[in-house]
Amino acid sequence: MPTVVFEDGALGPAVTAEAGAGRLIDVCDDARAPIVFSCRDARCATCRVEVVEGEQLLEPPARGERDLLERLGAPPRLRLACQAVLRAGPGLIRLRGVVGREG
Ligand code: FES
């Protein structure tokens, strides 16, 4: 399974987690990652993360995530941590929280 690194930033210190299958939100919760969540349902966009590395280790956005990111005019590297699904297999995913920044 991928290793997920949450970079040090305005939201908190760097965290590294060994990920299991499932959604990124579960990794964030387990690792106490510095990512903020609110609705957890692709409505509020508070959980936006920039995928700095390892985008190929995430499934493409499903319709709800894609629709919200498009409405926000988000650049392609932004994902919703509450919606992004990890693919099986080894690798490194490096993320940066973007709450409070343009995005
Ligand atoms: S927590 Fe609201 S969109 Fe992810």
Side-chain angles (χ1 to χ4, degrees):
M1 288 300 176
T3 297
V4 181
V5 175
F6 301 90
E7 291 191 341
D8 196 6
L11 296 174
V15 173
T16 300
E18 295 298 323
R23 294 191 303 166
L24 195 49
I25 190 173
D26 299 322
V27 180
C28 294
D29 282 345
D30 290 348
R32 298 181 185 214
I35 306 296
V36 178
F37 294 96
S38 182
C39 74
R40 298 176 178 240
D41 193 28
R43 289 181 283 125
C44 72
T46 58
C47 64
R48 287 171 297 162
V49 292
E50 177 184 1
V51 183
V52 178
E53 182 178 347
E55 183 178 343
Q56 74 280 5
L57 299 171
L58 297 171
E59 295 291 343
R63 183 176 184 148
E65 179 182 9
R66 194 174 58 242
D67 288 351
L68 180 54
L69 291 172
E70 283 176 6
R71 280 201 310 272
L72 296 171
R77 287 168 45 142
L78 286 196
R79 297 293 305 267
L80 299 178
C82 73
Q83 300 298 304
V85 176
L86 295 151
R87 289 182 164 154
L92 177 67
I93 300 172
R94 188 175 300 277
L95 303 171
R96 185 180 299 142
V98 297
V99 172
R101 291 190 276 159
E102 293 296 318

